[in-house]
Structure formats: structure tokens, C-alpha cells
Amino acid sequence: MDKLKIGVLAMQGAFVEHEQMLQSLGCDTVQVRKVEHLADLDGLIIPGGESTTIGKLLVDFGLAESVQERAQQGMPVWGTCAGLILMAKEIAGSEQYRLGLMDITAVRNAFGRQVDSFEVPLAIDEVSSEPYPAIFIRAPFIEKAGPSVKILAEHNGKVVMARQGSFLASAFHPELTQDCRIHAYFMDIVRESRQKA
Ligand code: GLN
């Protein structure tokens, strides 16, 4: 089987770190800035950054609809932090642009100003039996999720990771650790979806 080719939306935010992690796992990567870059991707990551900015650039660069189209045709998409916000159908108290791929409501900057960023060992049974070192930076959480959404992790009673089919959302930043387990998990989703196609 050919190598997987995974795109990382490269408008703003932590995209290089995602690429490095994917490459360390043997993946080919593409920095996605134009519609052409989506053409032969097996999967896509929407990185952390500033969700209003990334959303605006998605629209300005004419990428928003093409990403939605590819996703609806079955391309796996994983949003981290700001990316989670862009994956959501609803964003509490905000009309900002979102891709709306997952039946979830995201709350922005949900852990309060006092604890802007922090790291916790997070239990994610679906990914691994050992906790994952999750780094949260002005992170969102998932306030509501529809019946077809599977909750994968919670922190302090707040949902911080979920999956709906081949769409994945995490409120933290796996690309800022040395721990590849979640990238490997996403690659499994991408591999499965390629086998089905
Ligand atoms: N607070 C940012 C937002 O609402 C997300 C932060 C991040 O991606 N680290 O868009």
C-alpha cells in the first residue's frame, strides 16, 4: 500500500508541528493553502491557532466549500483546539465561520483566563491504556454532542475529545508533545477510510 498522504491546513497556527509528527510516523504531508492541494489527500488536519482567523482565511482563500465537499465524500478530518471549533456545527455565542462537520457545540476559551494553558495526563481508552500528556492552550470544550458522536475523553467533567465517523476533534495540542499516539490513531482512521474507498 502506498504511503498515506495527509494535509495540514497551513493558513495560521501550529501546522509545522503536525507535519513533523506525521512524517515521523512515515506519512507524506502537504501544507494546504489552495484548493489544488486537497486533490489527492487521504486525510486533513485543521490545527490550533485562532479559530476566527483560520475560518476567515478558509473562506477568503476559497477553500471552505472544497474542504466540506471532500469531507462529505468521506475524507477523514481531525481538528485540534481551534480546529475543534471549526469542526463544530454550533459555537456557543458566536456566529463566526465554521466548517460544521461534526454534530457538536463548541465553547471557546472554556477553561478560564486564570488557567490559560496547562498539561494533564488524560485518559483516552480508545487510543491507549496509558494516559496521554494533553497540553491545553486557551482551549475549547464540547458542551453538547449529538447521538452519533462518540465521546473519547473528558477533563474536569468537560468533553475534550470526540469522534463522529471519520471526523475527530480534540481540544488539546498533540502536535506540541513528543507523543505520537493520537496521530497514529488518526492515521488508522485514514487507513480504514482508504480501504473502504
Ligand atoms: N482560543 C482559540 C480560539 O478560540 C483556540 C486556541 C488554540 O487553538 N490553542 O480560536
Side-chain angles (χ1 to χ4, degrees):
M1 194 160 154
D2 291 347
K3 272 187 171 182
L4 294 180
K5 191 169 180 180
I6 296 183
V8 185
L9 190 70
M11 322 240 90
Q12 190 250 351
F15 52 88
V16 173
E17 293 84 350
H18 272 297
E19 278 196 287
Q20 288 166 348
M21 197 151 263
L22 292 167
Q23 286 164 4
S24 79
L25 293 168
C27 230
D28 283 335
T29 63
V30 178
Q31 293 187 0
V32 174
R33 293 195 182 85
K34 294 180 180 171
V35 174
E36 301 90 274
H37 297 155
L38 290 170
D40 55 352
L41 293 185
D42 297 308
L44 178 69
I45 294 178
I46 320 265
E50 180 56 45
S51 57
T52 48
T53 306
I54 299 175
K56 185 177 181 307
L57 293 173
L58 267 171
V59 174
D60 290 353
F61 282 55
L63 261 172
E65 279 177 20
S66 307
V67 169
Q68 282 170 326
E69 225 169 82
R70 287 296 317 275
Q72 264 129 31
Q73 290 159 359
M75 178 181 71
V77 185
W78 172 23
T80 60
C81 202
L84 175 151
I85 298 165
L86 284 154
M87 292 296 280
K89 275 211 165 69
E90 300 289 336
I91 304 169
S94 174
E95 296 301 320
Q96 70 188 79
Y97 180 80
R98 78 285 319 250
L99 292 162
L101 300 177
M102 289 177 72
D103 189 11
I104 57 176
T105 301
V107 180
R108 294 181 64 194
N109 302 319
F111 291 92
R113 281 179 177 273
Q114 302 307 318
V115 280
D116 252 5
S117 58
F118 57 94
E119 180 176 333
V120 289
L122 191 67
I124 317 172
D125 291 344
E126 168 116 349
V127 172
S128 171
S129 56
E130 296 293 320
Y132 186 88
I135 298 175
F136 292 82
I137 305 171
R138 289 177 293 105
F141 79 103
I142 297 171
E143 186 180 44
K144 269 190 258 163
S148 54
V149 176
K150 185 170 181 189
I151 305 304
L152 301 186
E154 290 182 31
H155 173 62
N156 281 352
K158 289 174 169 161
V159 174
V160 293
M161 185 169 175
R163 174 175 175 176
Q164 183 175 10
S166 46
F167 301 143
L168 188 63
S170 58
F172 47 95
H173 285 265
E175 79 287 6
L176 300 182
T177 67
Q178 300 300 317
D179 191 321
C180 303
R181 282 177 288 166
I182 304 185
H183 285 79
Y185 176 74
F186 182 61
M187 282 169 63
D188 286 342
I189 296 176
V190 172
R191 224 173 266 117
E192 268 166 42
S193 118
R194 195 159 89 165
Q195 271 156 13
K196 270 189 233 157

